[in-house]
Amino acid sequence: MLRYLWIMLAVCGYCSMGNSQQIILDDDFEDWNTEVSRYTDKQGDVGNGRIDFTDIRISNDDTYMYIFFDVTQEINLQENNNIALILDFDNDINTGKKTVGLGADIIYNFGKRQGFLYAGNSSYLIYQSDIKLVTSPTVTSKRFEIAIARNFIFNNETFSMGNLISTALSDESSYGDRAPDTEGGFVYEFKKAEPYDKSVHLSKTNPAHLRIMSYNVLKDRLFNNSVYQNYNRIFNAIQPDIIGFCEIYDNSSAQVAALIERFLPSVSNQKWYHASGNPDIRLVSRYPILSVRSIDGNAAFLIDLGKDKLVAIMAHLPCCNNESSRQQEVDNIMSFVRGIRYGISAFQVPVNTPIIIMGDMNFVGYSQQLHTFITGDIVNNQIYGPDFSPDWDNADLKDLKPLTTGQPMTYTWYSTGSYSPGRLDYMIYTGSAMQVSNSFVLWTQHMSSSDLSRYHLDYNDVTRASDHAPVVGDFTIGSFSATENSNHQKPFVFIQRDGQWLLDTEQRGRLTITDVSGRIIWHIDKDDTGSQSIQMPELSGLYILTFHTGTGIYSTTIFR
């Protein structure tokens, strides 16, 4: 025991023996900045372009062991790498497979999405579902967080981690990095942890809130009679006001509305309105749908809330390795949002009209696609027009990230195959015009029996209904501008004086003019401070004028 304690202190520097703070797998790593066991590996100890482990942190709760690690370059954890996690459940080199000074009970390769469990003299091929592995994020990143069950059942046998375990990360490529570099791994003693609070609150906190639901229903499975009662219980537990569906190919929006009417009969003369976007987008709403516009295989709906309007964009982006098509559709959707922001959209709506983008985004590749949605950083500017600040207050859009019921995680999709559960379904919205009050991803298999009974749900309802879970957000519609920042103060004045156009600003940047379809038709670089005379091209009509600087993107419309 003294040997193990010495290794732990040498590797960690300082490992707190106090209570563990709850980690949430939500693509946000701030909770890892609290007091957790941490190991810093030497940076630059591998060749250029190779995986370089630098920062490893470990924590736990009563159910999971959590690991954070940094690899200094952006990679996809579940594709095209050879990173292996080595776990010694009892910190005993004499049990399991002997490797890097450990007696490994599990060696799991993230890039291959499989691993081996070593028990006695036998080894068994395992996948993510066997050890309840969850990884985050699903997109490319330099940092990752994972969870593995401390206890799991495989081949009808229970496997459990001891109170003292050891672990290592290894790039199994030739001359790959390993952390720690020395034999014996990183020794970790599980901390006392309070059970994760699995209680859920599915009801609205205020009846006046607008409840929006996004749901991929797996190739028209919504209409499969064998799961009718599962869907019936799901919709009655959620009681949504607006529902965006994807993967409904063979049934019309009218058929969807009729089925929802069976689940949730109209009340107070609020019938179910409906509309479609080809090929598989359907939307039903307690509020009238005023207009619909297709955006590739996605659709935008203008909804009349009474006092306010709502722009709801329902998306089902290309899946799997189709990176270019997925980015193209994201660019096109954001071009549509830019048109709304600048008042040149087919949807003529007042300033500060709330906008929400939701659906199955299939974000399993480059992080740029999500970045475009959040920031307005369009990749193909030549086709889809200039970058812009997408919220009405010139801020980024908000990413809702609702928690999966009963789990300290945010995944919305689950499979027993090789890919681990992931957050594929999103709600991204204008935080200046709508504020969230409650949100959740309904996942019945991790709800307590008391909550299942309370909401009249069954354990297998969500997994029988679809491979995706319903994503739900409750919103208050209004003005919720962020704290004033430099983006709110436009840094330039563009005026016509004595027949000449004058760009008056102290900042350097690029001025672009875009037509209403998003095509850049003219640009000029401003390399000096102070005012600059501009020779404008001949124009006739409505245009977007955008000034890109080092501190922000500022836009307005001009009419010539």
Side-chain angles (χ1 to χ4, degrees), residues 397-454:
L397 297 182
K398 299 288 187 183
D399 184 359
L400 185 57
K401 297 185 181 180
L403 289 178
T404 308
T405 53
Q407 288 279 78
M409 303 168 188
T410 56
Y411 63 81
T412 67
W413 174 88
Y414 175 81
S415 169
T416 56
S418 64
Y419 288 95
S420 67
R423 187 167 75 104
L424 303 187
D425 303 82
Y426 286 71
M427 284 189 179
I428 297 168
Y429 63 98
T430 48
S432 68
M434 53 198 307
Q435 190 173 63
V436 66
S437 59
N438 185 29
S439 65
F440 57 88
V441 176
L442 184 66
W443 193 260
T444 47
Q445 287 196 346
H446 284 105
M447 291 173 62
S448 66
S449 57
S450 60
D451 278 336
L452 288 172
S453 177
R454 176 184 176 191

Short mmCIF file of all heavy atoms in Angstrom, two decimals, residues 397-454:
data_model
loop_
_atom_site.label_atom_id
_atom_site.label_comp_id
_atom_site.label_asym_id
_atom_site.label_seq_id
_atom_site.Cartn_x
_atom_site.Cartn_y
_atom_site.Cartn_z
N LEU A 397 -25.45 32.93 -30.91
CA LEU A 397 -26.65 32.21 -30.51
C LEU A 397 -26.36 31.34 -29.29
O LEU A 397 -25.20 31.02 -29.00
CB LEU A 397 -27.18 31.35 -31.66
CG LEU A 397 -27.63 32.10 -32.92
CD1 LEU A 397 -28.16 31.11 -33.95
CD2 LEU A 397 -28.67 33.16 -32.61
N LYS A 398 -27.40 30.95 -28.58
CA LYS A 398 -27.27 30.11 -27.39
C LYS A 398 -27.48 28.64 -27.77
O LYS A 398 -28.34 28.30 -28.57
CB LYS A 398 -28.31 30.50 -26.34
CG LYS A 398 -28.20 31.93 -25.84
CD LYS A 398 -27.01 32.13 -24.95
CE LYS A 398 -27.02 33.52 -24.32
NZ LYS A 398 -25.82 33.76 -23.51
N ASP A 399 -26.68 27.78 -27.17
CA ASP A 399 -26.80 26.33 -27.34
C ASP A 399 -27.41 25.77 -26.06
O ASP A 399 -26.83 25.85 -24.99
CB ASP A 399 -25.41 25.74 -27.58
CG ASP A 399 -25.42 24.25 -27.86
OD1 ASP A 399 -26.51 23.64 -27.85
OD2 ASP A 399 -24.33 23.69 -28.10
N LEU A 400 -28.62 25.18 -26.17
CA LEU A 400 -29.39 24.87 -24.97
C LEU A 400 -28.74 23.82 -24.07
O LEU A 400 -28.71 23.97 -22.86
CB LEU A 400 -30.81 24.42 -25.37
CG LEU A 400 -31.80 24.17 -24.23
CD1 LEU A 400 -31.95 25.41 -23.37
CD2 LEU A 400 -33.15 23.74 -24.79
N LYS A 401 -28.26 22.71 -24.60
CA LYS A 401 -27.60 21.64 -23.84
C LYS A 401 -28.44 21.12 -22.68
O LYS A 401 -27.99 21.12 -21.52
CB LYS A 401 -26.25 22.12 -23.31
CG LYS A 401 -25.24 22.47 -24.37
CD LYS A 401 -23.89 22.81 -23.75
CE LYS A 401 -22.87 23.19 -24.80
NZ LYS A 401 -21.56 23.53 -24.22
N PRO A 402 -29.66 20.65 -22.93
CA PRO A 402 -30.46 20.10 -21.82
C PRO A 402 -29.87 18.78 -21.32
O PRO A 402 -29.26 18.02 -22.08
CB PRO A 402 -31.83 19.89 -22.46
CG PRO A 402 -31.56 19.75 -23.91
CD PRO A 402 -30.36 20.61 -24.20
N LEU A 403 -30.06 18.51 -20.03
CA LEU A 403 -29.56 17.28 -19.44
C LEU A 403 -30.48 16.10 -19.78
O LEU A 403 -31.70 16.25 -19.86
CB LEU A 403 -29.46 17.42 -17.92
CG LEU A 403 -28.35 18.33 -17.39
CD1 LEU A 403 -28.41 18.39 -15.86
CD2 LEU A 403 -26.98 17.85 -17.85
N THR A 404 -29.86 14.94 -19.95
CA THR A 404 -30.60 13.70 -20.16
C THR A 404 -31.17 13.26 -18.82
O THR A 404 -30.44 13.16 -17.83
CB THR A 404 -29.65 12.62 -20.71
OG1 THR A 404 -28.96 13.14 -21.85
CG2 THR A 404 -30.40 11.37 -21.09
N THR A 405 -32.48 13.02 -18.76
CA THR A 405 -33.12 12.74 -17.47
C THR A 405 -32.44 11.55 -16.77
O THR A 405 -32.23 10.49 -17.36
CB THR A 405 -34.62 12.44 -17.65
OG1 THR A 405 -34.79 11.40 -18.63
CG2 THR A 405 -35.37 13.67 -18.08
N GLY A 406 -32.10 11.77 -15.50
CA GLY A 406 -31.50 10.73 -14.67
C GLY A 406 -30.02 10.51 -14.88
O GLY A 406 -29.43 9.64 -14.25
N GLN A 407 -29.39 11.31 -15.77
CA GLN A 407 -27.98 11.14 -16.08
C GLN A 407 -27.26 12.48 -16.03
O GLN A 407 -27.82 13.49 -16.45
CB GLN A 407 -27.80 10.54 -17.48
CG GLN A 407 -28.18 9.09 -17.60
CD GLN A 407 -27.07 8.17 -17.12
OE1 GLN A 407 -26.88 7.99 -15.92
NE2 GLN A 407 -26.35 7.57 -18.04
N PRO A 408 -26.00 12.50 -15.57
CA PRO A 408 -25.21 13.73 -15.61
C PRO A 408 -24.57 13.92 -16.98
O PRO A 408 -23.36 14.11 -17.12
CB PRO A 408 -24.16 13.49 -14.52
CG PRO A 408 -23.96 12.02 -14.53
CD PRO A 408 -25.29 11.41 -14.87
N MET A 409 -25.40 13.89 -18.01
CA MET A 409 -24.93 13.89 -19.39
C MET A 409 -25.95 14.60 -20.26
O MET A 409 -27.05 14.95 -19.80
CB MET A 409 -24.71 12.46 -19.88
CG MET A 409 -23.73 11.67 -19.01
SD MET A 409 -23.73 9.91 -19.38
CE MET A 409 -22.69 9.31 -18.02
N THR A 410 -25.61 14.79 -21.55
CA THR A 410 -26.51 15.51 -22.45
C THR A 410 -26.77 14.72 -23.74
O THR A 410 -27.20 15.30 -24.74
CB THR A 410 -25.92 16.88 -22.81
OG1 THR A 410 -24.62 16.71 -23.36
CG2 THR A 410 -25.86 17.79 -21.59
N TYR A 411 -26.53 13.43 -23.76
CA TYR A 411 -26.70 12.69 -25.00
C TYR A 411 -28.18 12.58 -25.37
O TYR A 411 -29.06 12.55 -24.52
CB TYR A 411 -26.04 11.32 -24.95
CG TYR A 411 -26.59 10.34 -23.94
CD1 TYR A 411 -27.74 9.60 -24.19
CD2 TYR A 411 -25.93 10.12 -22.73
CE1 TYR A 411 -28.22 8.68 -23.28
CE2 TYR A 411 -26.41 9.21 -21.81
CZ TYR A 411 -27.56 8.49 -22.08
OH TYR A 411 -28.05 7.58 -21.16
N THR A 412 -28.43 12.53 -26.70
CA THR A 412 -29.80 12.46 -27.22
C THR A 412 -30.00 11.24 -28.11
O THR A 412 -31.11 11.00 -28.58
CB THR A 412 -30.12 13.71 -28.06
OG1 THR A 412 -29.32 13.70 -29.25
CG2 THR A 412 -29.87 14.98 -27.27
N TRP A 413 -28.93 10.51 -28.35
CA TRP A 413 -28.96 9.35 -29.24
C TRP A 413 -28.20 8.21 -28.59
O TRP A 413 -27.18 8.43 -27.93
CB TRP A 413 -28.33 9.70 -30.59
CG TRP A 413 -28.17 8.55 -31.53
CD1 TRP A 413 -29.08 8.09 -32.44
CD2 TRP A 413 -27.01 7.71 -31.67
NE1 TRP A 413 -28.56 7.00 -33.13
CE2 TRP A 413 -27.29 6.76 -32.68
CE3 TRP A 413 -25.77 7.67 -31.03
CZ2 TRP A 413 -26.38 5.78 -33.07
CZ3 TRP A 413 -24.86 6.70 -31.42
CH2 TRP A 413 -25.16 5.77 -32.43
N TYR A 414 -28.69 6.99 -28.80
CA TYR A 414 -28.08 5.84 -28.15
C TYR A 414 -28.16 4.64 -29.09
O TYR A 414 -29.15 4.45 -29.80
CB TYR A 414 -28.80 5.52 -26.84
CG TYR A 414 -28.31 4.28 -26.16
CD1 TYR A 414 -27.16 4.31 -25.38
CD2 TYR A 414 -28.98 3.07 -26.28
CE1 TYR A 414 -26.70 3.16 -24.74
CE2 TYR A 414 -28.54 1.92 -25.65
CZ TYR A 414 -27.38 1.97 -24.89
OH TYR A 414 -26.92 0.84 -24.27
N SER A 415 -27.10 3.83 -29.07
CA SER A 415 -27.07 2.62 -29.87
C SER A 415 -26.29 1.55 -29.12
O SER A 415 -25.38 1.86 -28.35
CB SER A 415 -26.41 2.89 -31.23
OG SER A 415 -26.15 1.69 -31.91
N THR A 416 -26.65 0.30 -29.35
CA THR A 416 -25.87 -0.80 -28.78
C THR A 416 -24.71 -1.18 -29.69
O THR A 416 -23.98 -2.12 -29.40
CB THR A 416 -26.77 -2.04 -28.56
OG1 THR A 416 -27.38 -2.39 -29.81
CG2 THR A 416 -27.85 -1.75 -27.53
N GLY A 417 -24.54 -0.45 -30.78
CA GLY A 417 -23.44 -0.70 -31.70
C GLY A 417 -22.14 -0.12 -31.19
O GLY A 417 -21.93 0.05 -29.99
N SER A 418 -21.24 0.23 -32.11
CA SER A 418 -19.89 0.62 -31.70
C SER A 418 -19.79 2.08 -31.27
O SER A 418 -18.87 2.43 -30.53
CB SER A 418 -18.91 0.37 -32.85
OG SER A 418 -19.22 1.19 -33.98
N TYR A 419 -20.71 2.95 -31.73
CA TYR A 419 -20.63 4.36 -31.36
C TYR A 419 -21.26 4.60 -30.00
O TYR A 419 -22.36 4.10 -29.71
CB TYR A 419 -21.31 5.23 -32.41
CG TYR A 419 -20.55 5.33 -33.71
CD1 TYR A 419 -20.85 4.49 -34.77
CD2 TYR A 419 -19.52 6.26 -33.87
CE1 TYR A 419 -20.14 4.57 -35.97
CE2 TYR A 419 -18.81 6.35 -35.05
CZ TYR A 419 -19.12 5.50 -36.10
OH TYR A 419 -18.42 5.57 -37.28
N SER A 420 -20.59 5.39 -29.19
CA SER A 420 -21.11 5.66 -27.85
C SER A 420 -22.24 6.68 -27.92
O SER A 420 -22.37 7.41 -28.90
CB SER A 420 -20.00 6.18 -26.93
OG SER A 420 -19.56 7.45 -27.35
N PRO A 421 -23.09 6.75 -26.90
CA PRO A 421 -24.17 7.74 -26.89
C PRO A 421 -23.62 9.14 -27.12
O PRO A 421 -22.52 9.47 -26.67
CB PRO A 421 -24.76 7.61 -25.48
CG PRO A 421 -24.44 6.21 -25.06
CD PRO A 421 -23.11 5.92 -25.68
N GLY A 422 -24.40 9.97 -27.84
CA GLY A 422 -23.90 11.30 -28.16
C GLY A 422 -25.01 12.32 -28.30
O GLY A 422 -26.18 11.98 -28.47
N ARG A 423 -24.61 13.59 -28.25
CA ARG A 423 -25.54 14.70 -28.42
C ARG A 423 -25.62 15.03 -29.91
O ARG A 423 -24.79 15.75 -30.44
CB ARG A 423 -25.07 15.91 -27.60
CG ARG A 423 -26.08 17.06 -27.60
CD ARG A 423 -25.73 18.09 -26.55
NE ARG A 423 -24.61 18.94 -26.91
CZ ARG A 423 -24.70 20.21 -27.32
NH1 ARG A 423 -25.91 20.76 -27.44
NH2 ARG A 423 -23.63 20.91 -27.60
N LEU A 424 -26.63 14.51 -30.56
CA LEU A 424 -26.84 14.74 -31.99
C LEU A 424 -27.99 15.71 -32.25
O LEU A 424 -28.07 16.29 -33.33
CB LEU A 424 -27.11 13.42 -32.72
CG LEU A 424 -26.05 12.33 -32.59
CD1 LEU A 424 -26.39 11.17 -33.51
CD2 LEU A 424 -24.65 12.86 -32.90
N ASP A 425 -28.89 15.86 -31.28
CA ASP A 425 -30.07 16.71 -31.44
C ASP A 425 -29.87 18.00 -30.65
O ASP A 425 -29.50 17.95 -29.47
CB ASP A 425 -31.31 15.97 -30.95
CG ASP A 425 -31.50 14.65 -31.67
OD1 ASP A 425 -30.85 13.65 -31.26
OD2 ASP A 425 -32.27 14.60 -32.64
N TYR A 426 -30.16 19.13 -31.28
CA TYR A 426 -29.83 20.43 -30.71
C TYR A 426 -31.03 21.37 -30.69
O TYR A 426 -31.96 21.22 -31.49
CB TYR A 426 -28.72 21.10 -31.54
CG TYR A 426 -27.35 20.52 -31.35
CD1 TYR A 426 -27.03 19.26 -31.86
CD2 TYR A 426 -26.36 21.22 -30.68
CE1 TYR A 426 -25.76 18.72 -31.70
CE2 TYR A 426 -25.08 20.70 -30.52
CZ TYR A 426 -24.78 19.45 -31.03
OH TYR A 426 -23.52 18.92 -30.86
N MET A 427 -30.95 22.35 -29.81
CA MET A 427 -31.77 23.55 -29.85
C MET A 427 -30.84 24.74 -29.70
O MET A 427 -30.15 24.88 -28.67
CB MET A 427 -32.83 23.56 -28.74
CG MET A 427 -34.01 22.67 -28.98
SD MET A 427 -35.34 22.92 -27.77
CE MET A 427 -36.55 21.75 -28.39
N ILE A 428 -30.78 25.57 -30.74
CA ILE A 428 -29.91 26.74 -30.77
C ILE A 428 -30.81 27.95 -31.00
O ILE A 428 -31.62 27.94 -31.92
CB ILE A 428 -28.87 26.59 -31.89
CG1 ILE A 428 -27.97 25.37 -31.60
CG2 ILE A 428 -28.03 27.85 -32.04
CD1 ILE A 428 -27.10 24.95 -32.75
N TYR A 429 -30.67 29.00 -30.19
CA TYR A 429 -31.70 30.04 -30.20
C TYR A 429 -31.13 31.42 -29.90
O TYR A 429 -30.00 31.57 -29.41
CB TYR A 429 -32.79 29.69 -29.17
CG TYR A 429 -32.30 29.64 -27.74
CD1 TYR A 429 -32.46 30.73 -26.90
CD2 TYR A 429 -31.67 28.50 -27.24
CE1 TYR A 429 -32.02 30.69 -25.58
CE2 TYR A 429 -31.21 28.46 -25.93
CZ TYR A 429 -31.39 29.55 -25.11
OH TYR A 429 -30.92 29.51 -23.80
N THR A 430 -31.93 32.42 -30.22
CA THR A 430 -31.57 33.82 -29.96
C THR A 430 -31.80 34.13 -28.48
O THR A 430 -32.93 34.35 -28.05
CB THR A 430 -32.41 34.76 -30.84
OG1 THR A 430 -33.80 34.38 -30.73
CG2 THR A 430 -32.00 34.70 -32.28
N GLY A 431 -30.73 34.19 -27.73
CA GLY A 431 -30.84 34.45 -26.29
C GLY A 431 -31.34 35.84 -25.96
O GLY A 431 -31.81 36.08 -24.85
N SER A 432 -31.25 36.76 -26.94
CA SER A 432 -31.72 38.11 -26.69
C SER A 432 -33.25 38.20 -26.77
O SER A 432 -33.83 39.19 -26.31
CB SER A 432 -31.12 39.08 -27.72
OG SER A 432 -31.64 38.83 -29.01
N ALA A 433 -33.89 37.20 -27.37
CA ALA A 433 -35.34 37.28 -27.61
C ALA A 433 -36.12 36.15 -26.97
O ALA A 433 -37.36 36.15 -27.02
CB ALA A 433 -35.60 37.28 -29.12
N MET A 434 -35.44 35.19 -26.37
CA MET A 434 -36.13 34.10 -25.68
C MET A 434 -35.21 33.55 -24.59
O MET A 434 -34.00 33.47 -24.76
CB MET A 434 -36.57 33.01 -26.66
CG MET A 434 -35.47 32.47 -27.53
SD MET A 434 -36.05 31.58 -29.03
CE MET A 434 -37.18 30.37 -28.37
N GLN A 435 -35.81 33.22 -23.49
CA GLN A 435 -35.04 32.78 -22.33
C GLN A 435 -35.58 31.43 -21.86
O GLN A 435 -36.80 31.23 -21.75
CB GLN A 435 -35.14 33.81 -21.20
CG GLN A 435 -34.20 33.56 -20.04
CD GLN A 435 -34.23 34.71 -19.05
OE1 GLN A 435 -35.25 34.99 -18.46
NE2 GLN A 435 -33.10 35.38 -18.88
N VAL A 436 -34.68 30.49 -21.59
CA VAL A 436 -35.09 29.15 -21.20
C VAL A 436 -35.41 29.10 -19.71
O VAL A 436 -34.71 29.72 -18.89
CB VAL A 436 -34.01 28.12 -21.57
CG1 VAL A 436 -32.73 28.34 -20.77
CG2 VAL A 436 -34.51 26.71 -21.39
N SER A 437 -36.47 28.39 -19.36
CA SER A 437 -36.83 28.23 -17.95
C SER A 437 -36.71 26.78 -17.49
O SER A 437 -36.48 26.52 -16.31
CB SER A 437 -38.27 28.72 -17.72
OG SER A 437 -39.18 27.98 -18.52
N ASN A 438 -36.86 25.85 -18.40
CA ASN A 438 -36.73 24.43 -18.07
C ASN A 438 -36.38 23.70 -19.36
O ASN A 438 -36.80 24.10 -20.45
CB ASN A 438 -38.03 23.87 -17.49
CG ASN A 438 -37.89 22.44 -17.01
OD1 ASN A 438 -36.81 22.01 -16.61
ND2 ASN A 438 -38.97 21.67 -17.05
N SER A 439 -35.59 22.64 -19.26
CA SER A 439 -35.25 21.86 -20.45
C SER A 439 -34.82 20.47 -20.02
O SER A 439 -34.34 20.27 -18.90
CB SER A 439 -34.13 22.55 -21.24
OG SER A 439 -32.92 22.57 -20.50
N PHE A 440 -34.98 19.52 -20.92
CA PHE A 440 -34.56 18.15 -20.62
C PHE A 440 -34.56 17.33 -21.91
O PHE A 440 -35.23 17.67 -22.90
CB PHE A 440 -35.46 17.49 -19.58
CG PHE A 440 -36.93 17.46 -19.93
CD1 PHE A 440 -37.47 16.41 -20.67
CD2 PHE A 440 -37.77 18.48 -19.52
CE1 PHE A 440 -38.81 16.40 -21.00
CE2 PHE A 440 -39.12 18.47 -19.84
CZ PHE A 440 -39.65 17.42 -20.58
N VAL A 441 -33.78 16.25 -21.89
CA VAL A 441 -33.86 15.19 -22.89
C VAL A 441 -34.53 14.02 -22.18
O VAL A 441 -34.00 13.51 -21.19
CB VAL A 441 -32.46 14.79 -23.40
CG1 VAL A 441 -32.55 13.61 -24.36
CG2 VAL A 441 -31.77 15.97 -24.05
N LEU A 442 -35.69 13.62 -22.65
CA LEU A 442 -36.43 12.56 -21.96
C LEU A 442 -35.78 11.21 -22.23
O LEU A 442 -35.71 10.76 -23.37
CB LEU A 442 -37.89 12.54 -22.42
CG LEU A 442 -38.78 11.52 -21.68
CD1 LEU A 442 -38.93 11.90 -20.21
CD2 LEU A 442 -40.14 11.39 -22.34
N TRP A 443 -35.30 10.59 -21.15
CA TRP A 443 -34.65 9.28 -21.24
C TRP A 443 -35.19 8.41 -20.11
O TRP A 443 -34.73 8.49 -18.98
CB TRP A 443 -33.13 9.43 -21.15
CG TRP A 443 -32.42 8.19 -21.54
CD1 TRP A 443 -31.87 7.24 -20.73
CD2 TRP A 443 -32.20 7.72 -22.88
NE1 TRP A 443 -31.34 6.23 -21.46
CE2 TRP A 443 -31.52 6.50 -22.78
CE3 TRP A 443 -32.53 8.22 -24.14
CZ2 TRP A 443 -31.15 5.76 -23.92
CZ3 TRP A 443 -32.16 7.50 -25.26
CH2 TRP A 443 -31.47 6.28 -25.14
N THR A 444 -36.18 7.60 -20.43
CA THR A 444 -36.93 6.89 -19.38
C THR A 444 -36.10 5.83 -18.66
O THR A 444 -36.37 5.51 -17.50
CB THR A 444 -38.19 6.24 -19.97
OG1 THR A 444 -37.84 5.53 -21.18
CG2 THR A 444 -39.23 7.29 -20.32
N GLN A 445 -35.08 5.27 -19.30
CA GLN A 445 -34.34 4.18 -18.68
C GLN A 445 -33.47 4.63 -17.51
O GLN A 445 -32.97 3.78 -16.77
CB GLN A 445 -33.48 3.46 -19.73
CG GLN A 445 -34.30 2.60 -20.67
CD GLN A 445 -33.47 1.62 -21.45
OE1 GLN A 445 -32.24 1.71 -21.49
NE2 GLN A 445 -34.11 0.66 -22.09
N HIS A 446 -33.28 5.91 -17.34
CA HIS A 446 -32.51 6.37 -16.19
C HIS A 446 -33.34 7.23 -15.24
O HIS A 446 -32.79 7.89 -14.35
CB HIS A 446 -31.26 7.14 -16.65
CG HIS A 446 -30.18 6.23 -17.14
ND1 HIS A 446 -29.89 6.10 -18.48
CD2 HIS A 446 -29.33 5.40 -16.49
CE1 HIS A 446 -28.91 5.22 -18.62
NE2 HIS A 446 -28.56 4.78 -17.44
N MET A 447 -34.65 7.20 -15.42
CA MET A 447 -35.53 7.88 -14.46
C MET A 447 -35.84 6.95 -13.29
O MET A 447 -35.86 5.73 -13.44
CB MET A 447 -36.83 8.31 -15.16
CG MET A 447 -36.64 9.42 -16.17
SD MET A 447 -38.13 9.80 -17.14
CE MET A 447 -39.26 10.34 -15.84
N SER A 448 -36.05 7.54 -12.12
CA SER A 448 -36.40 6.74 -10.95
C SER A 448 -37.79 6.14 -11.13
O SER A 448 -38.62 6.65 -11.91
CB SER A 448 -36.37 7.61 -9.70
OG SER A 448 -37.39 8.59 -9.75
N SER A 449 -38.04 5.06 -10.44
CA SER A 449 -39.36 4.41 -10.54
C SER A 449 -40.46 5.34 -10.07
O SER A 449 -41.57 5.33 -10.61
CB SER A 449 -39.37 3.12 -9.73
OG SER A 449 -39.02 3.37 -8.38
N SER A 450 -40.16 6.19 -9.09
CA SER A 450 -41.17 7.12 -8.60
C SER A 450 -41.51 8.18 -9.64
O SER A 450 -42.67 8.55 -9.81
CB SER A 450 -40.71 7.78 -7.29
OG SER A 450 -39.50 8.50 -7.50
N ASP A 451 -40.49 8.66 -10.37
CA ASP A 451 -40.75 9.65 -11.42
C ASP A 451 -41.45 9.02 -12.61
O ASP A 451 -42.31 9.65 -13.24
CB ASP A 451 -39.45 10.32 -11.87
CG ASP A 451 -39.02 11.45 -10.94
OD1 ASP A 451 -39.89 12.01 -10.25
OD2 ASP A 451 -37.82 11.76 -10.89
N LEU A 452 -41.09 7.79 -12.96
CA LEU A 452 -41.81 7.10 -14.04
C LEU A 452 -43.28 6.97 -13.69
O LEU A 452 -44.16 7.22 -14.53
CB LEU A 452 -41.20 5.72 -14.28
CG LEU A 452 -39.82 5.68 -14.95
CD1 LEU A 452 -39.27 4.25 -14.95
CD2 LEU A 452 -39.89 6.21 -16.37
N SER A 453 -43.55 6.61 -12.46
CA SER A 453 -44.95 6.48 -12.03
C SER A 453 -45.64 7.84 -12.00
O SER A 453 -46.80 7.97 -12.43
CB SER A 453 -44.99 5.85 -10.64
OG SER A 453 -46.31 5.78 -10.16
N ARG A 454 -44.94 8.85 -11.55
CA ARG A 454 -45.52 10.19 -11.44
C ARG A 454 -45.96 10.73 -12.79
O ARG A 454 -47.01 11.37 -12.91
CB ARG A 454 -44.48 11.11 -10.81
CG ARG A 454 -44.89 12.57 -10.71
CD ARG A 454 -43.73 13.39 -10.17
NE ARG A 454 -44.03 14.82 -10.13
CZ ARG A 454 -43.11 15.76 -9.91
NH1 ARG A 454 -41.86 15.40 -9.69
NH2 ARG A 454 -43.46 17.02 -9.90
#
